[in-house]
Amino acid sequence: MSAPAVDVAVPEPRGLRAWLARADDRLNPILVKEIRQALRGRYFRNLFWLTVVLATGIGVFMILISSVDNDLDRLGPHFFSATFGVLSFAVHTFVPFWAFQSMGAEWEENTFDLLVISDLRPRQMIVGKVLAAATQALLYYCAFSPFLVSTFLMGGVDILAIAVILPLSMLVSTTLSFLAVALSTLGKTKIARAGLAMLLACALLPVSGGGIAFATMLVEQSSILRDHDFLFGLAMFVSALPIFAFFMYSIGCARLAHDEENHSTALRILVTAINLVSLGWGIYAYTTFSYRDEGWLEGMVAFGFGISFLAYLFFVTEPETFGRRVAKQVPRSSWLALHTLPWFPGGGRGLLLLLANGALAVFVTAAAALPLGDADAVMFVAALYLYGAVSLGLLSGIASFGVRTLRARNAVRIGTLVLLGLTVFLPALGGFLFDITEWMKFEHPLNPFWILSEIASGRTSTVSKGLLVLGAGILLTLAANFARILRALDETSRCSAERREREAKATPTDAATQS
Amino acid sequence: MSALEVRGITKTFRALKAVDEVSFTVEPGSICGFIGPNGAGKTTTMRICATLDLPDHGDVLVDGVSVLEEPRLARKKLGFMPDNYGAYPHTTIREYLDFYARAYGLRGKARKRTVDQVTSFTSLGELQEKLIHTLSKGMKQRLCLAKTMLHDPSVLILDEPAAGLDPRARVELRELVKALGSMGKALLISSHILTELAEMCDGVAVIESGKLLATGRVGDIQKRLQPHATIYVRALCERAELEKALLEEPELANVRSERQGLAFDYTGDDEALARLVERLVARGLKPVEFAGGEVKLEDIFMSLTQGKLQ
Ligand SMILES: Nc1ncnc2c1ncn2[C@@H]1O[C@H](COP(=O)(O)OP(=O)(O)OP(=O)(O)O)[C@@H](O)[C@H]1O
Ligand SMILES: [Mg+2]
């Protein structure tokens, strides 16, 4: 036990110590807390020593086997795969799982409320947890670096491969920690958490396994690192990781934020960014490699839209009106307010965001593809977003007339997905009943996936019925959403006007108090 | 401006109105007791005040800041001690407080000084290096109180801070609370231990089934409930003689024997009461004890609430 604190004049620390003290002050509080706890707790310590011992054991075993088989020149790559295998499970499974548990513990142990009322922002909590996980991962990398470097000394392992694998693995590990923390914020009850933990395990284990396979492949055929196509794929993957991480981060922040806070804008900006980045890569591949026939551009746009789909589903089912806090954040310039409107919360504004992103995608695709005479690509992108608008906007638009509670909103979300599934599967089932061969093969006018793939391959004439259905869907969706979009426009301009009024009123009194 | 102003808050859980149009205020430097039977809506009200829950209607102002519109600003001004909270088991008291001090943005020496101050205020200085999972209930309560005071909030909301404390710890808690009150802080404290509350509170708010039944100073509520005072008198004479004399007096009713003397309800003011004593002395009845009955929070509580559980 320490003596009670006494106020003694301590001389100002200088140089390195002062710098360290300042750095310590700037550290994320959650990071400090988590590291202290992790170092005292059993989970991290035991696992850490277990993995180190395991890696040592495997290494010794490999050396013995290789010397018995007289296969010492292959020892380097084998030894690398084995030790990286242990490391991969540690940093791609254990560490993110720890982050999941650590976020969940805040609810399970009833400490979350205290965090909320202290001055911690949601983003500090999420980043703190991820940083703590990254620090643990770093400890693993440090502990394993002697093993990995010794594989280089054993020969047969390209240092360039190690130089690619390790940073990539760190990036993946950090991204997975973001995923784990975001998943952890989604459920607070025991049963939900158990389900989420299973889901996370299903995501983490294949990544760890895939990581090992990828690393082994790189070490064994390091010449691939000079291949242009491979590097292009790698660059695309690396650029997707931070976006995915940021996506998870935004979800986590939105889940932890105060109910009156704006949960939507960050995610909406992110979805726009996903759209832009996938368009960028698509056009880069389209124009550089002349991969036109392989549908790169269409594929990338569809990929970007696909991973944003669930986010859009949340946007279009949000409550229509602004919360009291968000209403005050609408820009005072009515021009700016109307142009940033799709990025503000609200279901009607969510549909506008989808349309705005769609218009952007169509415009960019047209600029790239039309000069090359490729109208199909433009048609595909337009149809993709229109299908998106119909499948997301129809039910939510109808529901916007009556749905007020969170429960009902969740029902609409699930209903939208079920409805999409039904429109694809029911006609196929009907095909079996009435013996319509095309329908059995899912080639029916209600299946957007088939129609889109036909458009992408330039067979627009075969899907004319499907396009008619789409047209009807668009009309219905417009009818269902007209009212809420008008209201959204009206509310935005009203809030903007109110802000102008408020600030005009506040300024004279401010001047008075200052003088 | 009141330090804490609750404005007509309502909160429903499904069909249950846990809090129904509750309004009251707590002034700076005053200690307000928040009492009511189990399930009355105390915790719900306090959580709304602490920005942890949203009311369906109404608002709460902390030092003039709305908890709905500016929750972050409001959090800086208020400290909340929940009735049921967890603490990180594998940290020491010092690390725990250091963590929250960091969260409140305290840096360097200021952080160390603040942690030292709150630990010495709550007498935890000696135990700083103890791990939290080894602490007793009372120690944990103190730790949470220390945590609540780190950012020097002007409003403190304590939900059953005395629950599970031994008698000595309760007395110490009472002294802590009084000290906080005299530092000019506004305190809202819920408790089921009414004698404790009566000794430290300037006012009370009584709630049952989500409805606020009464609010104000204990004496004022008592006056409203019972317009008369209860007086006890003992004299060096026969009880019957004293009773006869009393029954001839005006503004006096319900004379009954109590202990060695008599008690009666009196509706007159203090002047009239002084003249009553004079007359008793003039009749040679030699009063040796003459006391106004004390106002009991229990009595107020029992006469206001009906013990309905919801
Ligand atoms: N999250 C919740 N979901 C549903 N009902 C709730 C919830 N929280 C509180 N209630 C209900 O609201 C009512 C008020 O509860 P509250 O916890 O505020 O009472 P309390 O006055 O603090 O009681 P106690 O003295 O037992 O602590 C109770 O009937 C309770 O069952
Ligand atoms: Mg309670």
Side-chain angles (χ1 to χ4, degrees):
Chain A
M1 261 183 239
S2 77
V6 193
D7 243 352
V8 190
V10 190
E12 279 289 331
R14 271 193 230 115
L16 182 65
R17 286 190 47 196
W19 186 85
L20 281 178
R22 265 207 307 279
D24 174 53
D25 272 346
R26 297 269 177 286
L27 284 178
N28 180 309
I30 299 266
L31 168 67
V32 177
K33 176 199 92 167
E34 292 302 337
I35 294 295
R36 279 177 178 160
Q37 273 185 290
L39 293 182
R40 258 207 206 95
R42 252 178 252 137
Y43 181 88
F44 175 72
R45 254 197 328 210
N46 293 355
L47 266 182
F48 185 78
W49 290 118
L50 186 75
T51 47
V52 172
V53 168
L54 200 67
T56 318
I58 292 178
V60 171
F61 182 72
M62 303 276 313
I63 294 176
L64 287 180
I65 294 272
S66 301
S67 54
V68 168
D69 290 356
N70 227 343
D71 193 19
L72 277 174
D73 50 332
R74 303 280 306 132
L75 179 61
H78 284 168
F79 192 71
F80 182 88
S81 302
T83 40
F84 185 79
V86 180
L87 178 65
S88 178
F89 274 100
V91 297
H92 301 140
T93 300
F94 299 155
V95 167
F97 213 80
W98 173 87
F100 177 85
Q101 289 291 8
S102 148
M103 189 76 236
E106 303 287 356
W107 287 289
E108 272 159 29
E109 301 189 359
N110 224 341
T111 47
F112 184 69
D113 284 347
L114 291 182
L115 287 186
V116 170
I117 52 173
S118 64
D119 216 18
L120 286 173
R121 290 159 190 243
R123 66 176 137 92
Q124 280 176 298
M125 295 184 209
I126 304 273
V127 170
K129 296 281 180 192
V130 172
L131 280 179
T135 310
Q136 293 186 21
L138 210 59
L139 285 177
Y140 279 109
Y141 286 113
C142 290
F144 276 74
S145 58
F147 293 103
L148 298 178
V149 169
S150 62
T151 62
F152 172 67
L153 297 177
M154 286 170 198
V157 176
D158 190 346
I159 193 84
L160 184 64
I162 299 185
V164 169
I165 291 168
L166 286 188
L168 193 62
S169 150
M170 279 186 207
L171 200 59
V172 170
S173 166
T174 312
T175 307
L176 289 176
S177 296
F178 271 109
L179 167 75
V181 173
L183 270 184
S184 196
T185 60
L186 293 183
K188 294 177 189 170
T189 60
K190 272 230 157 64
I191 199 141
R193 298 201 58 76
L196 288 170
M198 301 260 273
L199 201 68
L200 182 65
C202 290
L204 295 181
L205 290 172
V207 173
S208 302
I212 300 171
F214 181 77
T216 309
M217 190 268 289
L218 267 194
V219 165
E220 305 220 318
Q221 328 164 15
S222 54
S223 61
I224 201 173
L225 279 171
R226 285 154 197 98
D227 178 63
H228 189 253
D229 285 0
F230 176 78
L231 287 180
F232 174 68
L234 194 64
M236 229 161 59
F237 178 67
V238 169
S239 75
L241 284 179
I243 293 185
F244 181 74
F246 191 67
F247 197 35
M248 292 298 126
Y249 161 84
S250 311
I251 290 178
C253 287
R255 294 283 305 170
L256 298 188
H258 190 267
D259 280 345
E260 287 271 311
E261 211 76 60
N262 182 345
H263 297 235
S264 197
T265 296
L267 275 172
R268 287 178 187 229
I269 293 174
L270 194 74
V271 163
T272 311
I274 291 176
N275 185 22
L276 284 176
V277 170
S278 51
L279 267 172
W281 280 117
I283 286 179
Y284 176 71
Y286 184 79
T287 49
T288 317
F289 300 128
S290 48
Y291 278 160
R292 226 155 298 157
D293 303 334
E294 295 175 22
W296 259 102
L297 182 54
E298 290 95 328
M300 283 310 293
V301 173
F303 177 73
F305 177 76
I307 57 175
S308 314
F309 188 83
L310 280 184
Y312 281 124
L313 180 58
F314 273 85
F315 298 153
V316 297
T317 46
E318 276 174 354
E320 298 298 330
T321 50
F322 289 135
R324 285 188 248 191
R325 301 209 56 198
V326 184
K328 295 194 167 173
Q329 295 165 352
V330 176
R332 76 180 71 72
S333 140
S334 58
W335 184 88
L336 196 62
L338 284 181
H339 284 79
T340 52
L341 170 145
W343 287 271
F344 274 94
R349 282 174 286 260
L351 195 64
L352 286 179
L353 177 74
L354 177 72
L355 295 176
N357 274 335
L360 185 74
V362 170
F363 181 77
V364 173
T365 312
L370 286 185
L372 300 170
D374 184 4
D376 290 339
V378 186
M379 172 102 175
F380 172 86
V381 174
L384 174 75
Y385 272 91
L386 287 176
Y387 270 119
V390 173
S391 56
L392 289 165
L394 189 57
L395 192 62
S396 67
I398 296 170
S400 73
F401 289 100
V403 163
R404 294 289 171 268
T405 63
L406 179 66
R407 224 164 219 243
R409 249 190 284 288
N410 281 332
V412 174
R413 285 168 188 156
I414 293 170
T416 302
L417 293 179
V418 171
L419 200 65
L420 183 61
L422 287 183
T423 50
V424 175
F425 282 98
L426 272 189
L429 208 63
F432 276 106
L433 289 181
F434 305 110
D435 210 22
I436 309 172
T437 326
E438 276 89 52
W439 287 27
M440 274 188 231
K441 291 191 284 180
F442 288 96
E443 293 174 0
H444 57 78
L446 284 181
N447 182 356
F449 301 101
W450 172 64
I451 294 169
L452 283 171
S453 74
E454 290 298 288
I455 295 176
S457 16
R459 291 190 290 271
T460 346
S461 53
T462 53
V463 292
S464 50
K465 260 192 228 150
L467 292 181
L468 274 181
V469 174
L470 175 61
I474 293 169
L475 288 181
L476 282 178
T477 308
L478 270 183
N481 286 280
F482 193 66
R484 70 165 166 168
I485 287 179
L486 269 192
R487 263 183 279 130
L489 286 168
D490 179 53
E491 186 188 27
T492 314
S493 60
R494 185 166 38 83
C495 286
S496 171
E498 276 171 9
R499 177 160 173 191
R500 282 196 297 277
E501 228 167 77
R502 210 169 40 242
E503 287 179 5
K505 234 187 264 164
T507 326
T509 48
D510 278 356
T513 45
Q514 267 165 25
S515 66
Chain B
M1 185 172 55
S2 303
L4 179 71
E5 183 176 350
V6 179
R7 283 189 184 166
I9 55 171
T10 300
K11 172 87 184 170
T12 16
F13 294 110
R14 306 245 167 84
L16 179 86
K17 263 203 173 160
V19 179
D20 190 1
E21 290 288 330
V22 166
S23 308
F24 60 92
T25 58
V26 185
E27 301 303 320
S30 73
I31 304 171
C32 177
F34 197 29
I35 57 179
N38 290 125
K42 302 182 293 293
T43 300
T44 310
T45 307
M46 289 176 140
R47 283 178 61 85
I48 292 172
C49 294
T51 75
L52 289 173
D53 272 334
L54 282 180
D56 306 334
H57 312 287
D59 200 349
V60 177
L61 303 186
V62 181
D63 257 351
V65 175
S66 155
V67 296
L68 291 178
E69 287 172 13
E70 303 282 352
R72 286 182 53 78
L73 200 55
R75 280 172 202 157
K76 282 201 199 346
K77 294 169 178 283
L78 67 84
F80 175 51
M81 179 168 160
D83 57 341
N84 153 3
Y85 56 88
Y88 307 105
H90 295 293
T91 41
T92 64
I93 289 186
R94 175 125 209 139
E95 287 169 354
Y96 182 80
L97 293 173
D98 179 72
F99 162 62
Y100 282 106
R102 278 169 193 269
Y104 282 116
L106 294 169
R107 303 247 180 264
K109 284 202 184 130
R111 188 171 71 233
K112 184 177 175 310
R113 205 177 328 115
T114 312
V115 172
D116 287 343
Q117 273 167 3
V118 296
T119 44
S120 74
F121 186 75
T122 48
S123 326
L124 287 170
E126 301 275 319
L127 306 173
Q128 289 191 33
E129 299 306 322
K130 256 186 119 122
L131 285 177
I132 288 179
H133 68 91
T134 64
L135 294 183
S136 72
K137 169 92 180 165
M139 292 298 163
K140 272 198 197 135
Q141 294 283 88
R142 275 176 205 230
L143 179 60
C144 193
L145 190 64
K147 182 248 144 204
T148 311
M149 290 176 350
L150 276 172
H151 58 305
D152 195 26
S154 49
V155 177
L156 281 148
I157 299 174
L158 313 180
D159 198 357
E160 306 204 17
L165 296 190
D166 69 27
R168 171 178 288 277
R170 264 189 228 157
V171 173
E172 284 170 3
L173 177 79
R174 195 168 70 211
E175 295 312 314
L176 285 182
V177 166
K178 279 187 180 162
L180 286 169
S182 62
M183 283 154 75
K185 304 193 181 303
L187 287 105
L188 180 66
I189 302 177
S190 82
S191 178
H192 291 295
I193 306 162
L194 299 179
T195 44
E196 291 291 329
L197 272 186
E199 280 189 45
M200 55 189 176
C201 289
D202 306 311
V204 287
V206 189
I207 187 173
E208 183 174 34
S209 303
K211 291 204 176 60
L212 198 70
L213 301 177
T215 161
R217 307 179 71 83
V218 177
D220 295 345
I221 299 179
Q222 169 80 356
K223 272 221 186 80
R224 238 183 312 141
L225 290 177
Q226 289 172 303
H228 55 77
T230 301
I231 310 282
Y232 170 75
V233 56
R234 181 166 71 88
L236 293 179
C237 64
E238 284 297 312
R239 223 190 259 186
E241 204 178 336
L242 180 62
E243 186 170 358
K244 189 162 156 268
L246 285 176
L247 286 175
E248 288 169 13
E249 290 289 333
E251 297 181 300
L252 188 152
N254 193 14
V255 181
R256 56 203 181 265
S257 29
E258 199 174 293
R259 284 173 282 160
Q260 292 101 12
L262 294 173
F264 57 89
D265 296 343
Y266 192 68
T267 47
D269 58 9
D270 286 354
E271 276 295 321
L273 199 58
R275 283 196 297 277
L276 170 79
V277 182
E278 273 172 13
R279 282 196 292 277
L280 291 182
V281 174
R283 288 176 77 150
L285 293 176
K286 295 184 190 163
V288 287
E289 264 187 75
F290 197 88
E294 61 176 317
V295 187
K296 283 210 191 112
L297 202 48
E298 267 105 341
D299 296 338
I300 294 185
F301 185 81
M302 293 311 283
S303 55
L304 276 174
T305 61
Q306 292 153 12
K308 267 188 305 196
L309 289 183
Q310 69 161 1

